[in-house]
């Protein structure tokens, strides 16, 4: 790749492949390989989705001209937001010009033609307790925004919109492989009186942007109190090695000695075939094997009263879970948990339904026999949908739902009152910055969730935003032998 073009890509946010932190070795074929701590051999130079080159840009333009609806559908699905035909055509032209004259494009980036408007400048008195100069806050940044950063999305993920451009998938890791004596089932500490188990859950965190960095800062400040942290998936732009290194491994590294970190697979990770994802699992285990137990892309953490069950809703098909072996494994852990009276807490990147959409998803259809007809799930927590929300049980939905796809991506501010398949008990509808600042009011608030698993079987659920504000506190409990219900749900009025 031309050096100026690579410099341009770096300036626009491209993260090139990085050497493994666990060393490199040459395999029999001459390829550089990395032996995982579980015995798998991971190719350290495994292919990942490359940026668009000029000839591929031309191929994408040709496809857009002949099949505009199909290309726009792919772009909208990938970005989770509307993209107009006019915007797409304009950015195609901008990218073509930048690739043709990268030095000119670099100069334009170094010397922007206008200053930031006052509406995107923070007031001098903007402060919050966790604020630090180590994580600068720049409201003018538009990286990962669907339209404002369409150039970045097109350059660094646009190849996925070409036919035949998929990256070879890494070997899938199965619970019944002889190398995995755990069968992907691990012990969850039993809650004790006055000593609940704390679990942080966050999704679509892998951006490296300041909201995600402040979420990571909050997790680190919890110290040993935070026993488990689960990323529900989403490393952007395309789950590359460099993106894992910079956006996930580096900000979460200090957690590893004290907190068990688990990570689900997601559609963005599979754009690069999943090799960086599986490599990250192995590197994490190598760094702190006593705590970092995860071997594959699905798992069950079990105690007598609780089960945390992570699903892979990306490897075989985006947003689906119908592989027979995985369904069989899931049925066995759900049934076992229900038999002993434990709460089954299901976690995935894919969503069973979405706020703002009247119908449930194909993923729910895949799991209908288990979670609807047999009602084996008590609480389902998912990423991918760009808002924080708590849903009650609804018609044909005998489980509580939590949406957490607002961990790091810039999201549109949610408007209350939209349709949803289940009743909404809390919706994160505030802007990213307090309304009194007048800054970026169109952006939604980023954040994550914290679970407290108590010895009496109750669950404390909090939604926190990227600044550390508790946005909603709820108590979930069974009433007698009945289903899990929301006993209390209080939304904070403080800004």
């Amino acid at each position: 790749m031309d050096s100026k073009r690579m410099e341009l890509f770096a300036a626009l946010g491209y993260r090139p492949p990085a050497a493994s932190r666990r060393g490199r070795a040459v395999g029999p074929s001459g390829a550089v390989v990395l032996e995982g701590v579980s015995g798998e051999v991971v190719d350290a130079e495994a292919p990942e989705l490359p940026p668009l080159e000029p000839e591929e840009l031309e191929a994408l333009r040709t496809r857009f001209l002949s099949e505009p609806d199909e290309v726009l559908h792919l772009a909208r699905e990938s970005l989770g937001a509307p993209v107009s035909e006019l915007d797409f055509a304009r950015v195609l032209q901008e990218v073509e010009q930048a690739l043709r004259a990268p030095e000119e494009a670099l100069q334009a980036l170094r010397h922007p033609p206008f200053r930031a408007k006052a509406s995107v400048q923070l007031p001098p008195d903007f402060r919050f307790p966790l604020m630090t100069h180590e994580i600068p806050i720049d409201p003018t940044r538009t990286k990962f925004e669907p339209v404002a950063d369409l150039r970045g999305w097109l350059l660094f993920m646009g190849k996925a919109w070409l036919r035949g451009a998929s990256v070879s998938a890494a070997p899938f890791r199965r619970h019944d492989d002889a190398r995995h004596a755990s069968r992907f089932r691990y012990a969850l500490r039993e809650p004790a009186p006055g000593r609940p188990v704390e679990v942080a859950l966050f999704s679509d965190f892998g951006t490296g942007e300041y909201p995600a960095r402040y979420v990571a800062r909050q997790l680190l400040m919890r110290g040993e109190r935070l026993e488990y942290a689960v990323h529900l998936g989403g490393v952007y732009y395309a789950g590359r090695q460099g993106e894992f290194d910079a956006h996930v491994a580096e900000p979460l590294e200090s957690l590893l000695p004290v907190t068990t970190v688990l990570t689900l697979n997601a559609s963005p990770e599979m754009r690069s075939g999943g090799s960086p994802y599986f490599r990250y699992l192995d590197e994490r285990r190598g760094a702190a094997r006593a705590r970092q137990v995860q071997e594959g892309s699905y798992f069950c953490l079990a105690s007598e009263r609780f089960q945390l069950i992570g699903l892979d809703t990306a490897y075989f098909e985006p947003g689906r879970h119908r592989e027979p072996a995985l369904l069989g494994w899931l049925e066995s852990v759900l049934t076992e948990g229900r038999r002993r009276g434990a709460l089954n807490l299901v976690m995935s990147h894919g969503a069973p339904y979405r706020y703002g959409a009247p119908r449930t998803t194909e993923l729910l259809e895949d799991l209908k026999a288990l979670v609807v007809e047999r009602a084996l799930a008590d609480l389902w927590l998912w990423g991918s949908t760009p808002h924080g929300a708590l849903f009650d049980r609804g018609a044909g939905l005998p489980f509580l739902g939590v949406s957490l796809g607002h961990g790091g991506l810039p999201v549109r501010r949610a408007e209350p009152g939209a349709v949803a398949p289940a009743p909404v008990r809390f919706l994160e509808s505030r802007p990213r910055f307090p309304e009194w600042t007048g800054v970026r009011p169109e952006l939604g608030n980023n954040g994550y969730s914290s679970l407290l698993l108590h010895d009496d079987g109750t669950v404390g659920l909090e939604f926190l935003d990227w600044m550390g504000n508790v946005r909603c506190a709820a108590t979930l409990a069974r009433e007698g032998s009945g289903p899990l219900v929301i006993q209390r749900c209080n939304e904070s009025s403080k800004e």
Side-chain angles (χ1 to χ4, degrees), residues 293-314:
V293 295
Q294 186 182 359
E295 301 157 272
S297 55
Y298 57 106
F299 56 84
C300 175
L301 293 173
S303 69
E304 190 63 29
R305 290 186 175 274
F306 299 96
Q307 289 199 139
L308 298 174
I309 304 164
L311 309 184
D312 185 333
T313 58

Side-chain angles (χ1 to χ4, degrees), residues 7-19:
E7 190 178 345
L8 173 64
F9 287 171
L12 290 171
Y14 173 62
R15 300 285 188 175

